[in-house]
Amino acid sequence: MKALRQGAYMNNVRRIDDKLGISDAILLSTHFEGSASITFKLDTFEITDARWAINRAADPERRGQGRTEMLIGESAYVYGKNSIKILPDYSAWTDYNVPPGGWEGVQPNKSSLAEPVTDREEAAERKNEVSPEWKIIRELYLENIRGIWQAEFYMLPERGYTSLMEYEEHWIGSKDGYCRPYNDGDRTVEEWPIYTGTTQHYRVTDLYNKYKQFTIIDMEDGTMRASGTYNDSFHEFYVDMVYGKEDGIITEFEQNALRVPFPPCWELDHLHDEQFVGKDIRAFAKRDVGKIAGGSMGCFHLVDIVADIADMSKEI
């Protein structure tokens, strides 16, 4: 057997001071190394700074780092994803950093250097005119948004809540149809605070952590084996699958829940195994994965893992 691709996403949300928080997301993979960060106000979730960096890429002209001006003033809450999905490709016009002592030999120039897009309407019209590397940066910004949303539970004073239970009542009331545990009608407001240990220890600085890992192996028998791990402050899942090297058709699929908050979450263990068998992994977009493992009776954390594997399968 031969490993062809490895990668890991990491996300950390932490409090900077009594007014600001920061969310960092990183991807380290076989052909890419990059990051994105969002600094935001704890009370309003307004974005005050947004930074990106591409340090290693299949296309070396996409390397660079900078500030994503178009996100400043936007929301870091879940609906902020709409602004991220249209971000123009800053890597196309951001030049390389000059090393100490200056360039060795001829100063490199980016052949793809272009005029920056600053108009939101134009950016929306041209949202698909971006490099594969910039699509990853967009995804890292989305990881930041997801992390901030998960970490809100530890920003209650800034967000205007006076207790854990007040926030839970709001959360349960507003998330009908959100995912399986919120649709069974048996949730109580005490369950989440007890599960997270928050009733005894309330996080103040390190608010949320997330790790996603994937590996794709050529089994050298006409099949590929792919595995993925999801591990965050509240959940832990594992996915393993076998698919055809030539046709991408999944012949084996297993999912395991190792650490989940509610009884309905355990019911997801192996629930979708047979639904993935017979499907072409390389034909999956994230929304296609969501139709099987997501939605109001599924789990978007599982969708995350399978979608990552699907993306890497297409790259190979």
Side-chain angles (χ1 to χ4, degrees):
M1 66 180 188
K2 182 180 180 181
L4 300 182
R5 291 289 189 280
Q6 293 188 115
Y9 286 92
M10 290 152 279
N11 175 225
N12 167 253
V13 183
R14 61 192 182 276
R15 188 188 303 266
I16 298 174
D17 54 31
D18 59 354
K19 296 185 180 300
L20 294 174
I22 187 168
S23 181
D24 292 312
I26 299 167
L27 172 62
L28 278 169
S29 68
T30 306
H31 296 309
F32 184 87
E33 180 181 355
S35 62
S37 67
I38 286 176
T39 305
F40 61 99
K41 294 180 180 178
L42 297 171
D43 56 351
T44 64
F45 277 14
E46 178 188 345
I47 296 173
T48 61
D49 198 10
R51 304 275 174 169
W52 67 274
I54 299 174
N55 296 314
R56 183 165 49 85
D59 180 357
E61 290 198 349
R62 295 296 167 172
R63 292 174 296 173
Q65 67 179 64
R67 192 171 193 244
T68 312
E69 301 286 347
M70 196 171 286
L71 286 182
I72 310 304
E74 296 294 323
S75 174
Y77 208 61
V78 64
Y79 39 78
K81 64 184 181 182
N82 297 325
S83 299
I84 292 169
K85 289 179 178 178
I86 65 168
L87 283 179
D89 196 337
Y90 282 61
S91 71
W93 62 78
T94 304
D95 216 342
Y96 305 114
N97 295 337
V98 180
W103 301 106
E104 291 291 334
V106 179
Q107 177 175 337
N109 291 306
K110 292 190 176 183
S111 61
S112 58
L113 206 62
E115 289 296 318
V117 174
T118 56
D119 180 72
R120 290 183 62 85
E121 290 187 7
E122 182 183 357
E125 291 174 0
R126 299 173 57 183
K127 66 180 181 180
N128 295 323
E129 298 176 24
V130 298
S131 63
E133 289 82 5
W134 193 254
K135 288 181 181 178
I136 295 174
I137 293 298
R138 282 179 176 172
E139 184 61 27
L140 290 173
Y141 274 127
L142 289 172
E143 286 284 359
N144 284 320
I145 292 288
R146 297 179 193 118
I148 292 168
W149 196 26
Q150 293 282 304
E152 185 182 24
F153 193 55
Y154 299 105
M155 309 174 203
L156 299 189
E158 293 85 1
R159 298 290 285 166
Y161 296 98
T162 59
S163 71
L164 300 174
M165 301 313 165
E166 181 185 354
Y167 179 73
E168 277 302 282
E169 288 172 357
H170 164 76
W171 180 268
I172 293 174
S174 63
K175 299 305 174 199
D176 182 38
Y178 172 66
C179 69
R180 196 177 187 87
Y182 291 86
N183 294 326
D184 65 1
D186 295 327
R187 280 287 319 277
T188 65
V189 293
E190 295 87 0
E191 284 185 79
W192 182 257
I194 291 172
Y195 170 77
T196 58
T198 310
T199 52
Q200 290 82 35
H201 171 72
Y202 191 72
R203 303 185 188 201
V204 174
T205 303
D206 185 18
L207 308 182
Y208 176 77
N209 297 289
K210 179 179 176 180
Y211 170 82
K212 292 192 299 175
Q213 180 273 337
F214 54 84
T215 303
I216 298 181
I217 297 172
D218 184 347
M219 300 302 291
E220 300 183 324
D221 63 355
T223 66
M224 308 284 275
R225 185 166 215 108
S227 62
T229 299
Y230 183 106
N231 200 331
D232 75 2
S233 296
F234 314 124
H235 313 82
E236 188 173 353
F237 296 95
Y238 177 78
V239 166
D240 185 83
M241 70 179 75
V242 175
Y243 62 90
K245 185 175 181 178
E246 296 299 325
D247 59 15
I249 300 299
I250 299 170
T251 56
E252 299 177 32
F253 187 97
E254 289 190 19
Q255 64 183 48
N256 297 116
L258 285 81
R259 182 168 49 90
V260 289
F262 310 116
C265 299
W266 292 110
E267 296 171 12
L268 292 169
D269 205 31
H270 294 288
L271 179 67
H272 305 294
D273 290 5
E274 294 304 318
Q275 292 174 286
F276 280 101
V277 172
K279 304 289 197 306
D280 182 354
I281 185 65
R282 296 169 185 165
F284 276 146
K286 196 164 191 175
R287 63 180 175 274
D288 300 317
V289 181
K291 290 176 182 177
I292 298 175
S296 61
M297 294 306 290
C299 177
F300 58 82
H301 306 303
L302 283 171
V303 173
D304 254 3
I305 308 171
V306 180
D308 287 345
I309 293 173
D311 286 344
M312 285 299 102
S313 299
K314 294 172 194 172
E315 181 182 299
I316 294 173

